[in-house]
Amino acid sequence: MGNKYYEIFDDLIGAHMRNLIIYEYNSEQKKHIYHPYRHDYKKDAEELLASYMRKYIYFYAYSEKEVIDSFEFGLLSDLEAAACFALQHRLPKRYGPSNGLYSELLLDLLITLFRGDVNKLATRAIYRQMTDNQEIKGFDGLHIVTSNTENELWLGQAKMGDISYCLRSITTDLEQKTNMLYTSKQLYFIADKEKSAVDKALELLKKINNVSMKAEMLKLSEEEKAQLLNEFFEKEEIKIVFPCLIAYSSSDIYEVEEKIDENINNELAKLIDRFDDKFDALLDVEYQILILFIPIRDLEMLRKRMVEI
């Protein structure tokens, strides 16, 4: 199934987008990796990026199984129409510059575009909190990687805006959310409800749900529930990955085409200086922090084109 899903994605979006988003790779130490991105120098880059982000809305809002079914029924021949359908029937109504859809969708798109073997959990869009019936709060992206050699949970955070807001918010997330207590509450909630994931991902979620039920039967405290999940991750050798997207307004980066790569490297150096001391000893289990960052020349143009649909 995974190959079929990515074939559909690549045919409709991925193959057309890779020249627009330029990808570089930098590794810093063993517990964290920085992935810088930049868009093409052409003046219409933001409009094209927004166009592909709109086309990706259906992929973002629906699971791999649902996307494959829709494609086979011929329902993805017009991705703009499919996006309208997703906005009406699956995604919560969010408006204005603080609309988290843009950053969350871009995080999911970049992971799909450059990783390609991550099973998405289509949960944030379709589940509601028990307390207030609002969309679930917490991580901005939930993905699972399962293979013969990997067993990972990806718990993402995404920020889009001016650089000071993005850096401040990601710092807060690293301090408050990269711990087992917060992670366990999110995963226990999801594991009991997710039914649309691919089979290997569902198998892992069922095991997590079993741990949750055991914790309830034992009447454990929240801290004890988190410790029980911690022990499960250690036993199953599950790695937790925290991808953090920072998509921020920065026109200066793109002023001189010949200096873009140099400017990106300078941005990378600033992020390393700011974040490196925050990545150690976050969890007892194996983990990794991914900082994905992309300066955007005209963020308002991107947002404007995104909502044209």
Side-chain angles (χ1 to χ4, degrees):
M1 176 182 299
N3 290 338
K4 179 64 175 176
Y5 173 81
Y6 289 109
E7 286 173 8
I8 295 169
F9 164 78
D10 206 52
D11 180 53
L12 298 180
I13 297 176
H16 311 284
M17 191 176 173
R18 287 193 177 87
N19 290 332
L20 177 65
I21 296 291
I22 295 131
Y23 171 67
E24 300 177 9
Y25 171 82
N26 293 80
S27 178
E28 300 292 331
Q29 303 179 17
K30 64 179 181 179
K31 283 196 180 299
H32 51 283
I33 298 174
Y34 293 86
H35 293 277
Y37 299 87
R38 69 175 177 88
H39 56 65
D40 190 79
Y41 183 71
K42 297 185 179 76
K43 292 298 183 183
D44 61 349
E46 287 84 3
E47 294 186 42
L48 286 172
L49 178 56
S51 171
Y52 287 120
M53 288 173 66
R54 290 199 311 270
K55 294 177 188 299
Y56 187 71
I57 288 175
Y58 194 88
F59 288 80
Y60 167 73
Y62 289 82
S63 69
E64 284 93 338
K65 289 179 180 179
E66 292 170 315
V67 169
I68 292 171
D69 288 344
S70 295
F71 178 80
E72 292 179 344
F73 277 108
L75 300 177
L76 299 186
S77 58
D78 185 343
L79 286 178
E80 297 277 349
C84 283
F85 184 87
L87 287 168
Q88 289 295 320
H89 297 279
R90 178 61 63 90
L91 291 170
K93 304 299 184 289
R94 291 186 279 179
Y95 306 98
S98 60
N99 185 351
L101 170 64
Y102 310 134
S103 58
E104 294 162 20
L105 185 146
L106 184 56
L107 171 64
D108 195 81
L109 174 55
L110 291 175
I111 290 173
T112 303
L113 189 65
F114 294 113
R115 177 64 196 239
D117 59 351
V118 177
N119 301 317
K120 176 181 59 185
L121 304 183
T123 51
R124 184 168 170 80
I126 61 177
Y127 292 126
R128 296 290 179 266
Q129 296 184 134
M130 290 178 290
T131 53
D132 55 11
N133 200 37
Q134 299 297 310
E135 60 175 308
I136 62 171
K137 306 300 190 295
F139 295 112
D140 294 332
L142 296 104
H143 302 78
I144 290 181
V145 178
T146 54
S147 68
N148 293 332
T149 58
E150 294 177 296
N151 213 6
E152 299 176 353
L153 279 167
W154 286 39
L155 309 173
Q157 290 299 136
K159 306 299 175 186
M160 180 179 286
D162 64 69
I163 184 63
S164 60
Y165 160 76
C166 290
L167 294 179
R168 183 174 65 251
S169 297
I170 286 295
T171 300
T172 299
D173 285 342
L174 286 170
E175 293 171 348
Q176 296 181 358
K177 297 182 179 181
T178 50
N179 59 75
M180 190 54 70
L181 180 60
Y182 189 92
T183 297
S184 65
K185 290 179 180 179
Q186 294 293 304
L187 288 179
Y188 285 151
F189 180 83
I190 297 303
D192 181 54
K193 299 166 181 61
E194 179 61 62
K195 300 295 184 293
S196 61
V198 296
D199 290 341
K200 286 186 177 181
L202 281 176
E203 183 179 344
L204 178 56
L205 288 173
K206 287 178 182 176
K207 291 181 179 179
I208 292 174
N209 196 41
N210 289 341
V211 176
S212 177
M213 292 182 66
K214 178 181 178 181
E216 288 295 331
M217 293 171 65
L218 294 173
K219 301 186 184 305
L220 300 182
S221 66
E222 296 296 338
E223 290 76 12
E224 290 169 329
K225 291 178 183 177
Q227 181 57 35
L228 198 63
L229 188 63
N230 197 91
E231 293 170 1
F232 168 75
F233 284 161
E234 289 182 336
K235 178 182 177 182
E236 298 288 326
E237 296 183 340
I238 297 170
K239 178 180 178 180
I240 298 181
V241 180
F242 296 102
C244 301
L245 172 66
I246 306 172
Y248 58 94
S249 178
S250 180
S251 59
D252 295 345
I253 294 287
Y254 298 95
E255 280 189 355
V256 181
E257 184 175 8
E258 293 76 15
K259 291 188 175 182
I260 295 177
D261 290 337
E262 178 184 345
N263 292 338
I264 292 288
N265 286 330
N266 290 336
E267 294 291 288
L268 174 62
K270 293 176 184 176
L271 292 178
I272 290 173
D273 185 59
R274 181 184 182 95
F275 286 124
D276 266 13
D277 62 353
K278 300 183 183 300
F279 294 139
D280 294 328
L282 297 176
L283 298 171
D284 294 332
V285 299
E286 186 180 3
Y287 71 91
Q288 188 172 62
I289 308 292
L290 303 184
I291 297 292
L292 297 77
F293 71 93
I294 174 171
I296 297 175
R297 177 178 46 203
D298 192 340
L299 191 57
E300 290 310 307
M301 172 66 74
L302 180 70
R303 285 175 170 153
K304 181 180 177 181
R305 293 291 182 256
M306 268 293 291
V307 300
E308 280 185 345
I309 193 168

